[in-house]
Amino acid sequence: MLKTLSFRPLGSAVPFSAGRLYSRPHIPSSLIVRHNSTVSEPPRRLFHRARTVARYTGYVSLSAIFGVLAVGAGFFVHDVFTYSHKHIDRVPISPLALKPEKGGPKSLPIARVQVDDDDDEENASIAEKPKLVIVGGGWGAMGVLQTLYAGDYHVTVISSETFTTFTPLLPSAAVGTVQIRSLIEPIRKVIARLRGHFVQGKAVDICMSERLIEVETAAPNGDKANIYIPYDKLIIAVGSTSSTHGVPGLEHCYQLKTIADAQAIRRRIMDNFETASLPTTSPEERRRLLSFVVCGGGPTGVETAAEIYDFCQEDIMNYFPKICREEVSIHVIQSREHILNTYSEAISNYAEEKFKRDNVNLITSARVGAVNKDYVLYTTRDAEGKTVQHSIPTNFVLWSTGIAMNPFTQRVSALLPNQVHKKAIEVDAHLRVKGAPLGEVYAIGDCATIETSIVSHFLDLVDEADQDKNGKIDFGEWEIMVKKIKHRIPMAGDHLVKVKELFDLYDSDADNNLSLNELARLLEEIGNKITTLPATAQVASQQGKYIGKKLHKLARHLAPTEGKDLATTTDEVVSGPFRYLHLGSLAYIGNAAVFDFGGYSLMGGLAAMYAWRSIYWNEQVSARTRALLMIDWIIRGVWGRDLSRL
């Protein structure tokens, strides 16, 4: 009998009598020969890779081309609609705006109507609103303008400059790290949102009884002409000037508070380096020209010294004779034991170590005695306590030590009988000028200081807390008084935490009551411990935003009531007292930065510097200045600073 033969694929299992399966023997892959694999696959793989790279490169190139074309088309369309002819015919204007009536104590023109009050219906409706006048164009004024709502008030800003300045970056502008244009924003653009008005001039006097501000303006022939600006609400935000401390020769110094100051400093620095590079300049004169003295170890002085150092390291080294960099000397004279003394001790020490590594000469515990055209005199004390006088030859001195009142602030303070502060106008917790008609005049920023004296409210506090009218304050009445003090003077809150301990400490006769004398001593001690707020941009900005929000609430609170006097609604009805929230302090110390956030300190090199830049970039007034500032930093990093003399 014939058996049928069956063929199975190679390697497939075949039956066996015992039921076990057998498979094809395993052959190592290394022994299997694949013809042409080593020859054909690598070129093919390379070809596929090259084609992929070319495809994606084409995608990116086409995207970039279309992006450029789209942006260009966008600019073209923008220009089509922007550069169009606009015809203005018969603009309405009030006769009182062209020829104001005269009045007031000095019989001056009173600008009750602005030239553009009748430009359109919206302006005309706003002209009927209460008049809010802001004197100044700094951080405080910008804070007010940013938080007000359009239509709340008829807003007028009075400033001698037509722009607001980002002052923290003035040291950078003084050496060309950033351009001047990147730090300024026209005030008219800021107030356009509120349909506000701008008057370029300088406030010189005030008549509170008639609610008039006297402003010194320019006449068409170039002479000075004074006018009155009426107000219902007045905000004084004129800033401050540098304190002289009685030092002679400050006319030879530079300050750094305005754009003009930064421009003057930049011209002097460039002149010094150009003169020092001449072959006819003697070694002694070269050292004097390249000696930079900074009087004051606060943030402005420290940042200016750091910017000058960076300028020398990065630009003078590359584009000027090397002898100029070798002969540069930077000196910082500080009256305290440490620079940046308002910061934490760790930050002060870090900054001092950084300056020491950079060969910046720190002179602490020193007093500037006089400033001459060619040198600075200062004094220190030796180990025996004797005064020793020193001299530094120099052709550049920056004066940055403390603040003082400007002339308008002095005038306002002189008109009010209870203004005794020597450096600023004293205001209450609602930022109202003490002694002025209640709810009419406010002061914010460097020109103002919040009262810290509790004793001045002694009689009112006793009258409110002494419920049994026995002339003594028991512990229950003391707790009531503590609440009243915190409401009147919020800055006293940190010193009134341990209420019971304070009561027992000053209850000298242990009768569980505070006599009026004991209470007076207690309140005086607490008042002496309260620290005034620093004269910084952060404080001014917060105060401005606080006033803006409060005035908005006042306007909305009075809106439903026709003909109601604005002064009849007090600030306490719509808002609590001003409370300052410290968001931290920061300073640039030369390709490095330091931060002080309450109890936390941050110090570092480039990473901290970029964090410092990010914070200042975010605090800019407008998107325009943010863009310009970013461009300036890129240009400085790629091509260096502008070395031209402007």
Side-chain angles (χ1 to χ4, degrees):
M1 182 177 181
L2 295 176
K3 295 182 178 179
T4 303
L5 297 177
S6 61
F7 296 92
R8 298 178 181 272
L10 183 63
S12 61
V14 295
F16 193 64
S17 60
R20 299 177 62 186
L21 297 177
Y22 280 80
S23 61
R24 179 183 177 183
H26 175 70
I27 301 175
S29 59
S30 59
L31 299 179
I32 299 176
V33 178
R34 294 181 174 86
H35 296 285
N36 300 326
S37 62
T38 58
V39 178
S40 61
E41 288 195 5
R44 187 179 304 168
R45 190 181 300 117
L46 291 175
F47 173 76
H48 285 302
R49 289 180 180 177
R51 187 172 61 182
T52 302
V53 171
R55 183 170 65 251
Y56 284 106
T57 302
Y59 292 158
V60 172
S61 301
L62 289 175
S63 300
I65 293 172
F66 281 117
V68 172
L69 292 176
V71 172
F75 277 113
F76 178 79
V77 173
H78 174 268
D79 289 345
V80 168
F81 289 99
T82 301
Y83 298 102
S84 59
H85 295 286
K86 297 180 180 180
H87 300 282
I88 300 178
D89 298 321
R90 298 180 181 179
V91 178
I93 185 169
S94 171
L96 285 177
L98 298 178
K99 192 174 182 180
E101 62 179 359
K102 292 187 177 181
K106 300 180 182 179
S107 188
L108 297 174
I110 303 176
R112 300 192 185 278
V113 180
Q114 294 290 341
V115 175
D116 52 349
D117 273 347
D118 295 329
D119 273 2
D120 51 43
E121 293 182 0
E122 187 174 356
N123 277 20
S125 64
I126 292 177
E128 303 299 324
K129 299 289 184 179
K131 298 183 184 299
L132 171 63
V133 176
I134 304 173
V135 184
W139 284 86
M142 292 303 107
V144 176
L145 296 174
Q146 288 171 353
T147 49
L148 280 177
Y149 283 62
D152 285 348
Y153 297 90
H154 179 273
V155 180
T156 302
V157 177
I158 302 170
S159 176
S160 57
E161 300 286 357
T162 61
F163 50 82
T164 183
T165 305
F166 191 80
T167 52
L169 286 177
L170 283 177
S172 297
V175 297
T177 303
V178 298
Q179 298 299 315
I180 296 298
R181 62 173 186 172
S182 305
L183 306 184
I184 61 176
E185 184 70 13
I187 295 177
R188 287 189 178 274
K189 287 190 175 182
V190 178
I191 63 176
R193 180 182 63 87
L194 303 174
R195 292 299 185 102
H197 312 275
F198 176 74
V199 175
Q200 185 179 10
K202 181 173 63 175
V204 294
D205 205 351
I206 182 173
C207 178
M208 295 185 185
S209 60
E210 300 185 39
R211 297 180 183 175
L212 297 174
I213 286 285
E214 183 181 348
V215 181
E216 181 184 285
T217 62
N221 60 2
D223 295 336
K224 296 179 180 179
N226 289 19
I227 62 172
Y228 281 131
I229 304 292
Y231 67 88
D232 294 303
K233 294 279 188 182
L234 173 66
I235 300 175
I236 303 174
V238 294
S240 61
T241 61
S242 296
S243 177
T244 63
H245 299 290
V247 176
L250 294 189
E251 65 272 12
H252 304 299
C253 297
Y254 291 91
Q255 297 184 20
L256 192 51
K257 286 183 171 293
T258 65
I259 290 295
D261 293 336
Q263 291 174 322
I265 289 174
R266 182 175 178 181
R267 286 192 293 268
R268 172 56 65 89
I269 291 175
M270 293 310 305
D271 286 345
N272 284 1
F273 277 106
E274 292 294 349
T275 306
S277 63
L278 295 175
T280 55
T281 303
S282 66
E284 293 77 13
E285 277 299 302
R286 183 182 298 109
R287 284 191 290 269
R288 185 183 69 84
L289 290 169
L290 302 182
S291 171
F292 301 93
V293 178
V294 177
C295 300
T300 301
V302 168
E303 290 186 352
T304 303
E307 289 284 359
I308 294 175
Y309 173 81
D310 286 350
F311 177 58
C312 295
Q313 286 292 99
E314 299 167 4
D315 295 273
I316 298 302
M317 182 74 78
N318 294 331
Y319 301 106
F320 280 77
K322 296 293 187 294
I323 187 66
C324 290
R325 177 62 189 97
E326 183 182 1
E327 297 291 347
V328 167
S329 62
I330 305 172
H331 314 268
V332 178
I333 303 176
Q334 167 71 327
S335 60
R336 305 291 183 88
E337 294 182 0
H338 298 280
I339 59 173
L340 300 177
N341 59 288
T342 58
Y343 293 61
S344 66
E345 183 179 354
I347 283 181
S348 295
N349 293 335
Y350 180 86
E352 290 174 1
E353 289 296 325
K354 176 68 166 58
F355 275 2
K356 188 178 297 183
R357 292 194 302 270
D358 295 340
N359 292 322
V360 176
N361 182 24
L362 291 180
I363 307 170
T364 57
S365 301
R367 298 277 182 179
V368 177
V371 179
N372 292 280
K373 183 179 179 181
D374 298 330
Y375 60 91
V376 173
L377 294 176
Y378 70 94
T379 58
T380 57
R381 293 187 179 275
D382 59 14
E384 299 178 356
K386 296 181 179 179
T387 301
V388 181
Q389 189 176 72
H390 308 269
S391 174
I392 302 177
T394 182
N395 195 46
F396 173 86
V397 181
L398 175 67
W399 187 262
S400 177
T401 60
I403 64 171
M405 290 184 181
N406 65 26
F408 180 66
T409 309
Q410 290 178 344
R411 177 58 180 164
V412 174
S413 181
L415 290 174
L416 301 174
N418 55 347
Q419 290 288 335
V420 296
H421 202 280
K422 296 181 179 180
K423 295 183 179 180
I425 300 173
E426 196 169 37
V427 298
D428 64 10
H430 285 267
L431 306 184
R432 298 171 295 199
V433 174
K434 295 187 65 177
L438 191 64
E440 292 184 7
V441 185
Y442 303 84
I444 56 178
D446 294 0
C447 69
T449 182
I450 300 177
E451 63 175 338
T452 58
S453 173
I454 307 177
V455 177
S456 60
H457 300 279
F458 180 78
L459 295 179
D460 292 337
L461 291 171
V462 171
D463 183 62
E464 294 173 356
D466 188 12
Q467 296 181 339
D468 53 12
K469 305 301 180 182
N470 64 349
K472 294 183 179 181
I473 302 296
D474 59 27
F475 182 70
E477 294 170 338
W478 167 242
E479 289 182 312
I480 296 174
M481 183 175 289
V482 167
K483 293 180 181 179
K484 300 291 184 182
I485 293 173
K486 290 181 178 180
H487 182 74
R488 287 174 179 264
I489 306 177
M491 291 189 299
D494 295 338
H495 305 282
L496 292 170
V497 178
K498 300 178 180 179
V499 179
K500 180 61 176 174
E501 293 182 12
L502 282 172
F503 183 86
D504 295 337
L505 179 62
Y506 286 88
D507 183 15
S508 56
D509 52 7
D511 63 346
N512 292 324
N513 286 284
L514 292 176
S515 66
L516 296 184
N517 288 334
E518 292 171 340
L519 181 62
R521 287 197 298 272
L522 170 58
L523 298 183
E524 185 178 6
E525 288 294 327
I526 295 175
N528 292 335
K529 294 178 181 178
I530 300 175
T531 304
T532 58
L533 296 178
T536 61
Q538 182 180 168
V539 173
S541 179
Q542 289 190 28
Q543 289 178 341
K545 292 176 181 177
Y546 164 82
I547 289 291
K549 293 176 181 178
K550 175 160 57 178
L551 292 181
H552 168 66
K553 292 179 181 178
L554 276 172
R556 289 293 181 262
H557 187 269
L558 296 175
T561 306
E562 296 294 337
K564 188 175 181 181
D565 186 7
L566 190 67
T568 59
T569 301
T570 62
D571 297 50
E572 290 83 356
V573 173
V574 298
S575 175
F578 171 73
R579 297 180 184 275
Y580 172 63
L581 176 62
H582 185 62
L583 301 177
S585 303
L586 58 161
Y588 177 77
I589 55 174
N591 282 331
V594 292
F595 300 81
D596 189 0
F597 299 102
Y600 301 95
S601 299
L602 174 64
M603 300 152 286
L606 287 177
M609 184 192 71
Y610 277 98
W612 169 82
R613 284 183 176 180
S614 300
I615 293 174
Y616 278 175
W617 183 84
N618 184 65
E619 291 296 322
Q620 293 297 307
V621 177
S622 67
R624 183 190 71 88
T625 54
R626 288 191 184 97
L628 291 175
L629 189 59
M630 181 64 69
I631 292 171
D632 284 346
W633 281 331
I634 293 174
I635 291 175
R636 177 257 181 182
V638 177
W639 292 286
R641 296 170 178 83
D642 182 9
L643 299 180
S644 60
R645 183 190 186 279
L646 300 177

